[in-house]
Amino acid sequence: MSKTYHLTAPLSEADVVQLKAGDIVYLTGVVYTARDAAHKKLVDLLDAGQPLPFDMKGAVIYFVGPTPPKPGDPIGSAGPTTSYRMDSYSPKLINEQGLKGMIGKGKRNQDVIDACVKSKAIYFGATGGAGALLARQIKSAEVIAYPELGPEAIRKLEVVDFPLTVINDTFGADLYKIGRAQYEVF
Amino acid sequence: MREIKYEDIVKSVKDMILYSATNLPKDAYKALETAYKTEKSEVCKQVLKQILENADIAANEARPLCQDTGLAVFFIKVGEDLKVVGGSLKKAINEGTEQGYKEGYLRASTCHWDTRANLKDEVGYNLPAIIHFDIVEGDGLDIEYAAKGGGSENVSRATVFPPAKGRKGIIEYVKQVISDAGPNPCPPLTVGVGIGGTFEKAVISSKHALFRELGSKNPDPVLESMEEELMVLLNNLGIGAMGMGGTNTVLGVHIEKNPCHIASLPVSVNVQCHSSRHMHIKL
Ligand code: SF4
């Protein structure tokens, strides 16, 4: 049975180990945006032994490249982008830097799923293509690194009751496999 | 010879882009409502509810439905007896595209294939548009526009089969493409299939097939029966809305055919996510 949780980011280990694939989470607090270009820069910094532009411990990263905000709005439409493009970077951030949550859409590879088990992190799905609805739950946005990347810059977001579904939990379960197996007709 | 003003084309294209970005077409909205009503999985029902609510918010508040406002794709039929005055047709389409994407606060997503640098300053805001021209009889100007996001393009596939593969081979191929795509292209999907012609003709047909109204019937009875068979097979995959496991994976399957070379059977599958931003105008 899927459960519903209200959690606050940054996330603790206790927050994430209770979650199971298929659970609904309404997330409030601070979330950082990053797509592939920003992930590459973050990992390059780590390889060069440099500090990161934000504290990764307990952090939640949202894979999103929003539309430009209209005057007066904190952000434009802001739904998730396809996550596999971050697969080669996420395990390092989870295992070495304490990243606790990722928000995106679509399948992750086994390395990411393993890292979520080993170092206790969650991959959350948000509804792709629901950019106008999701933007309503984002109360503020501030570019904190790489403004030259435009929509791909790293932004610090404050979100309230951001609606998520747990896809990969800390036990190695994958909702995309479990859910489909339940409804596939041969 | 009929004359049409360059500025009028620019304005029509701009208006089309602005409207499309924030208004889900009626056929797609209706198909999603049906999916919501029939969906057996609770998780997917919630997702479909969010998708419908998103469409309402987008239309009421003039906000883009999705942050991926796509590359601008056009299919344009130009009558031989039509003359554009004050500039070229191709330029007018590109200028209308740039104005629409800028004014609507839509995302500029075109980039260099290698450096991945955004082309908004070098070439133009979300330019170049992808334009497929066709010259036809008469003096009309027929414009079909789609905002095509990356998620569903990334899972689209094409191949050239030996003719012996036939109908069965095509059906298996489409099923495999959608099965492999899983949650990534934001289901529920519209699946465009192009059969025949040369390699590129099949691909272009599969994209054009996405413009047909959802819920409409294919005029070709063989293709109609293939579409019906595929609808059942693809929904039986169990992928569901956003891939979370459910009974509604596709909203429609649209097939276009072309005559083939005697040696080949090209097949292309172009996937459309639920944010099906398509529009058609005649000037
Ligand atoms: S696949 Fe479609 S709905 Fe999903 S993020 Fe891309 S454009 Fe938006």
Side-chain angles (χ1 to χ4, degrees):
Chain A
M1 247 329 260
S2 127
K3 288 191 187 158
T4 300
Y5 295 88
H6 286 83
L7 297 179
T8 305
L11 297 172
S12 68
E13 180 151 336
D15 286 331
V16 299
V17 293
Q18 61 185 335
L19 302 175
K20 301 244 164 61
D23 286 345
I24 306 289
V25 172
Y26 291 96
L27 189 70
T28 297
V30 173
V31 164
Y32 296 93
T33 72
R35 289 170 45 113
D36 15 350
H39 271 77
K40 181 166 189 308
K41 288 187 184 262
L42 293 175
V43 169
D44 285 349
L45 281 178
L46 289 174
D47 289 344
Q50 308 263 326
L52 296 177
F54 63 92
D55 188 4
M56 200 60 77
K57 206 169 171 315
V60 178
I61 294 183
Y62 184 16
F63 307 145
V64 59
T67 55
K70 286 192 178 171
D73 287 345
I75 201 162
S77 287
T81 192
T82 322
S83 308
Y84 71 88
R85 297 194 314 271
M86 273 55 76
D87 282 358
S88 54
Y89 307 114
S90 296
K92 195 179 174 81
L93 301 179
I94 297 168
N95 290 328
E96 296 173 20
Q97 300 295 317
L99 174 69
K100 281 277 169 257
M102 297 158 284
I103 303 171
K105 62 151 176 127
K107 292 177 263 193
R108 307 308 303 273
N109 69 9
Q110 198 56 44
D111 292 346
V112 176
I113 295 173
D114 291 346
C116 285
V117 175
K118 183 176 164 212
S119 305
K120 310 287 176 241
I122 298 285
Y123 170 52
F124 296 101
T127 298
L133 175 126
L134 292 169
R136 277 193 166 180
Q137 309 310 121
I138 300 172
K139 302 304 163 187
S140 72
E142 177 198 347
V143 174
I144 59 158
Y146 318 130
E148 70 279 9
L149 294 180
E152 300 207 41
I154 296 187
R155 289 173 173 76
K156 180 181 178 185
L157 308 182
E158 301 222 28
V159 302
V160 174
D161 287 336
F162 202 77
L164 302 170
T165 308
V166 176
I167 306 292
N168 296 114
D169 60 22
T170 60
F171 307 97
D174 185 348
L175 179 65
Y176 293 139
K177 291 205 182 100
I178 304 168
R180 188 168 165 180
Q182 246 181 307
Y183 291 94
E184 187 154 13
V185 182
F186 292 98
Chain B
M1 195 53 105
R2 181 167 80 102
E3 293 194 341
I4 185 163
K5 285 203 203 108
Y6 175 88
E7 307 86 73
D8 292 348
I9 302 173
V10 172
K11 174 143 194 328
S12 300
V13 168
K14 181 185 85 177
D15 289 348
M16 218 172 173
I17 286 168
L18 289 171
Y19 185 84
S20 241
T22 58
N23 292 276
L24 196 66
K26 284 200 183 72
D27 58 336
Y29 193 94
K30 215 175 121 203
L32 285 161
E33 270 183 331
T34 308
Y36 173 69
K37 281 184 203 137
T38 60
E39 180 56 52
K40 296 214 170 71
S41 142
E42 254 330 296
V43 183
C44 288
K45 232 181 156 61
Q46 285 311 307
V47 170
L48 289 161
K49 196 173 159 210
Q50 284 187 8
I51 292 172
L52 288 165
E53 268 177 31
N54 183 67
D56 296 338
I57 295 170
N60 293 338
E61 299 179 12
R63 291 177 189 283
L65 287 151
C66 179
Q67 77 292 336
D68 187 349
T69 47
L71 295 194
V73 179
F74 293 90
F75 281 86
I76 297 183
K77 289 199 194 95
V78 199
E80 283 165 339
D81 302 322
L82 182 77
K83 187 175 160 41
V84 179
V85 288
S88 83
L89 177 56
K90 190 168 173 183
K91 255 197 157 158
I93 302 293
N94 276 304
E95 192 174 331
T97 299
E98 178 160 45
Q99 288 185 9
Y101 274 78
K102 266 192 187 160
E103 272 183 40
Y105 293 89
L106 311 183
R107 206 175 74 185
S109 303
T110 48
C111 74
H112 186 279
W113 70 273
D114 186 26
T115 64
R116 313 305 294 176
N118 201 293
L119 296 180
K120 65 179 193 290
D121 300 321
E122 200 184 314
V123 182
Y125 199 86
N126 212 39
L127 294 187
I130 312 284
I131 313 175
H132 304 287
F133 282 111
D134 194 5
I135 311 268
V136 296
E137 282 178 12
D139 61 7
L141 180 60
D142 185 300
I143 305 178
E144 289 173 304
Y145 159 72
K148 201 66 178 67
S152 54
E153 286 292 282
N154 288 351
V155 299
S156 297
R157 298 286 181 269
T159 191
V160 182
F161 279 137
K165 281 269 189 181
R167 169 182 175 140
K168 194 158 167 267
I170 294 170
I171 289 196
E172 271 166 21
Y173 183 68
V174 177
K175 191 176 154 191
Q176 195 59 51
V177 170
I178 301 304
S179 177
D180 291 347
N184 292 18
C186 292
L189 311 170
T190 309
V191 181
V193 181
I195 302 176
T198 47
F199 181 70
E200 88 285 2
K201 183 74 184 171
V203 174
I204 293 169
S205 297
S206 68
K207 172 146 276 117
H208 190 255
L210 297 172
F211 283 89
R212 205 179 96 206
E213 196 181 330
L214 276 163
S216 66
K217 265 199 193 324
N218 197 312
D220 179 315
V222 176
L223 299 185
E224 187 196 342
S225 90
M226 285 173 78
E227 290 178 358
E228 282 170 3
E229 184 178 345
L230 274 165
M231 274 297 278
V232 174
L233 283 172
L234 299 181
N235 280 324
N236 281 350
L237 288 171
I239 295 167
M242 289 315 293
M244 298 193 184
T247 51
N248 288 280
T249 302
V250 292
L251 302 174
V253 179
H254 297 173
I255 308 178
E256 282 193 13
K257 61 165 184 186
N258 302 283
C260 290
H261 186 279
I262 45 173
S264 45
L265 178 57
V267 183
S268 169
V269 183
N270 195 192
V271 177
Q272 171 62 56
C273 58
H274 65 74
S275 198
S276 176
R277 292 152 292 177
H278 287 81
M279 204 173 164
H280 184 188
I281 58 164
K282 287 180 186 184
L283 293 178

